Amino acid sequence: MSHVVVVGAGMAGLIAGYAAIKAGHSVTVVEATSQPGGAVQSQVLETSEGLIGIDAGAEAYASRSAVMDELLEDLGLADEIVTPHPAESWLYLPDVGAVPAPRLGMWGIPGDPQAKEVVAALGTEAAARAAQDLETPMDAWAKRRAAGEPITVGDLVADRFGPVVVERLVAPVVSGVHSADPYDVDIDKIAPGLVDKAIEHGSVAKAIATLRAAAPPGAAVKSLRGGMQEFATALVAYVQAHGQLHFDTKAVALDIDSGTVFTETGQLFHGDHVVLAVAAPTAHDLISTVTPVAQRPVLPQRPEFGAGVALVMMAVDLEALDAHPRGTGILVSPNVTDIAAKAATHVTAKWEWARASATKLNKHRHVVRLSYGRVTDPSDGSAPGYDTSDEDLRELAYNDLAKLFDVPKQQVLENVAAIASVRWREAMPLTTPQNAQRLAAIQDAVEAIDGLHATGAWFAGTGLAAIAQHALALRFNPLQ
Ligand SMILES: Cc1cc2nc3c(=O)[nH]c(=O)nc-3n(C[C@H](O)[C@H](O)[C@H](O)COP(=O)(O)OP(=O)(O)OC[C@H]3O[C@@H](n4cnc5c(N)ncnc54)[C@H](O)[C@@H]3O)c2cc1C
């Protein structure tokens, strides 16, 4: 049996702690803030009729692998697993406004470039250009792949389908879900295997159609009744019952010989194994403190944090939203100039438990979550997002909700029951090719030190399923 010290009580750190305890080890988790869960948090909207709790960060998990289902079952939460309402989602595009999103696709890349919704969103000329993907050989991409060159989503799609597809179909999804510009996102990070499949099939669209057909039936995402924060609560209870969890305890330095984690409060924690479940820039800082100095790895430049995002959550009493006019939500093209939000989720249309909790208070009550900013925005605060004041965010949100859902702004203003905002930066990895190289160097350094591990979204890929898989695969065998 080993003693494992985990730095960071976000979901990756909590899952790593949970897995270590299950494997028979003793565990201490140290968390810099006073809250566990990292980007899995709840936001309580206080309305005059009562409280509505919704997710303020991650709201669901990808269900294509069984890892999350098994973990939740193990934690006794199997009966709490829910699927979203199967309504369509929408896109908001320049010129045309709100249109239903193509159904067959991956990150907005169409699996059928000739589908009716694709033609409606692109126009006939751009749709004809998109269809060239079906016939143009993939030779140039096979060469780039063989040379090991990084491939961004934007570069691949612009070449195969035309730049209009990046602009109108892919950018709203990638920037909505990943908060990044498609030309900055490494395709292997968000669609592993797609490029190789496309080379094999001679077409990206055909590869997507094949991958989609092979996907197991059922919802692509799931969540928990009451929101994903129930997952964090269950993990915290488990770790606290079988190990130790220290809040307001920020790790600041590491000693390799003695396996010591030094903290800002002056407390020292010794482990046979130390898990860094923090963002890569923070992991970089901690590794740069390693003693003895002779064992300190030489790392390239620190990876950069992205610009971060802000979310506005609003409870509104609007009968016009009862029919769920934008399905479960709408993604906004970055080229739309009169709407600042990059996406809006109609939370009470997406999750039945949220609808039940809101309509108990008022039969026309809805909760909408709008997101602002992209990880790849310039970090000078010029784009609305992480650095925008609460007051300005609210103003933007009233305006955007009115436009996206086609409701008069005055009606929105008169019917807001509660509004709140929240900001995220560390939990959203900046997946630029340059950062990817710096990350790889950190991973190599960690692997070279016995008993040191790095996990979490920056190392495993964004998303709860990816981080769970990575954290559960850590091994804490006694060291020689
Ligand atoms: C707005 C938003 C929506 C999202 N939606 C989804 C979704 O629907 N589905 C999905 O699967 N994923 C979603 N994600 C992604 C998902 O939430 C993250 O991938 C995941 O929660 C990251 O967990 P983590 O533990 O790696 O990092 P974090 O959540 O960032 O946790 C890191 C923890 O380490 C702590 N820490 C940092 N430095 C130190 C230190 N020096 N010492 C001690 N502790 C430290 C931090 O305080 C934090 O608690 C979303 C993310 C955001 C921001």
Side-chain angles (χ1 to χ4, degrees):
M1 172 174 136
S2 303
H3 185 69
V4 180
V5 178
V6 181
V7 178
M11 299 313 288
L14 291 171
I15 296 168
Y18 166 85
I21 293 167
K22 281 259 155 178
H25 307 296
S26 60
V27 167
T28 303
V29 182
V30 297
E31 164 58 39
T33 69
S34 53
Q35 302 255 38
V40 172
Q41 297 289 336
S42 79
Q43 172 72 50
V44 175
L45 293 171
E46 291 182 32
T47 73
S48 52
E49 298 83 3
L51 308 177
I52 310 171
I54 61 157
D55 281 312
E59 55 149 12
Y61 60 92
S63 53
R64 63 182 173 275
S65 85
V67 64
M68 280 290 299
D69 284 343
E70 285 167 11
L71 186 50
L72 293 170
E73 276 166 32
D74 235 27
L75 285 162
L77 292 170
D79 292 343
E80 303 304 314
I81 296 175
V82 293
T83 53
H85 193 261
E88 61 196 354
S89 63
W90 287 62
L91 291 174
Y92 198 98
L93 301 175
D95 320 325
V96 289
V99 291
R103 282 193 170 258
L104 179 67
M106 190 181 276
W107 298 110
I109 314 170
D112 176 6
Q114 289 150 330
K116 145 170 125 318
E117 330 82 80
V118 176
V119 179
L122 294 177
T124 38
E125 202 178 310
R129 166 68 183 89
Q132 287 176 11
D133 165 76
L134 299 168
E135 285 141 28
T136 313
M138 285 286 296
D139 301 359
W141 293 98
K143 272 194 201 133
R144 280 185 68 166
R145 177 50 112 212
E149 284 175 40
I151 297 175
T152 71
V153 179
D155 286 344
L156 178 73
V157 177
D159 177 65
R160 299 294 306 172
F161 299 85
V164 180
V165 173
V166 183
E167 195 183 302
R168 291 178 84 83
L169 298 181
V170 178
V173 183
V174 172
S175 61
V177 178
H178 261 273
S179 300
D181 183 320
Y183 289 98
D184 288 326
V185 176
D186 189 333
I187 193 145
D188 294 327
K189 283 266 177 242
I190 67 166
L194 177 61
V195 173
D196 295 332
K197 247 307 173 260
I199 292 168
E200 186 190 316
H201 287 268
S203 150
V204 176
K206 285 181 195 162
I208 289 172
T210 314
L211 289 168
R212 280 276 172 262
V221 297
K222 295 183 190 166
S223 186
L224 291 172
R225 191 172 293 110
M228 282 317 294
Q229 48 90 22
E230 300 290 342
F231 179 32
T233 305
L235 283 169
V236 168
Y238 188 89
V239 171
Q240 283 181 325
H242 304 280
Q244 289 184 42
L245 180 48
H246 298 267
F247 295 111
D248 300 309
T249 307
K250 181 178 178 183
V252 289
L254 303 173
D255 182 80
I256 298 298
D257 279 351
S258 57
T260 306
V261 175
F262 299 87
T263 69
E264 212 172 42
T265 53
Q267 276 174 288
L268 308 182
F269 296 93
H270 301 283
D272 307 302
H273 292 262
V274 174
V275 180
L276 305 180
V278 292
T282 311
H284 179 280
D285 295 347
L286 286 169
I287 293 167
S288 304
T289 66
V290 156
T291 49
V293 176
Q295 289 184 44
R296 186 175 293 169
V298 179
L299 292 175
Q301 250 182 313
R302 185 181 198 246
E304 288 172 357
F305 278 117
V309 300
L311 302 187
V312 180
M313 288 147 282
M314 209 190 312
V316 279
D317 301 334
L318 288 172
E319 197 173 343
L321 267 56
D322 289 356
H324 305 167
R326 300 294 176 250
T328 53
I330 183 159
L331 294 162
V332 184
S333 160
N335 297 330
V336 169
T337 49
D338 59 346
I339 292 175
K342 65 185 169 64
T345 304
H346 189 164
V347 179
T348 39
K350 189 166 182 179
W351 306 109
E352 173 54 29
W353 62 265
R355 191 201 61 78
S357 121
T359 52
K360 223 168 33 194
L361 306 175
N362 177 311
K363 71 175 178 168
H364 300 304
R365 180 153 296 167
H366 295 268
V367 176
V368 177
R369 195 172 96 153
L370 298 116
S371 48
Y372 291 89
R374 301 185 166 83
V375 175
T376 49
D377 282 343
S379 49
D380 57 8
S382 57
Y386 189 88
D387 295 312
T388 308
S389 71
D390 283 347
E391 204 186 340
D392 289 349
L393 280 174
R394 279 167 201 217
E395 270 312 306
L396 290 171
Y398 298 139
N399 182 58
D400 293 348
L401 187 134
K403 288 217 166 89
L404 290 169
F405 288 83
D406 201 16
V407 180
K409 184 173 169 188
Q410 193 55 32
Q411 219 179 336
V412 173
L413 290 172
E414 284 165 8
N415 291 286
V416 175
I419 185 162
S421 46
V422 66
R423 291 169 174 72
W424 299 109
R425 186 175 349 235
E426 295 184 21
M428 311 198 87
L430 179 64
T431 50
T432 55
Q434 185 194 40
N435 251 15
Q437 284 171 358
R438 295 176 185 177
L439 278 175
I442 295 177
Q443 264 165 322
D444 289 348
V446 166
E447 269 163 38
I449 298 174
D450 267 354
L452 190 64
H453 311 263
T455 194
W458 288 73
F459 301 99
T462 294
L464 299 172
I467 64 168
Q469 189 131 25
H470 195 270
L472 291 171
L474 297 175
R475 292 290 169 263
F476 306 110
N477 301 327
L479 301 175
Q480 301 305 313

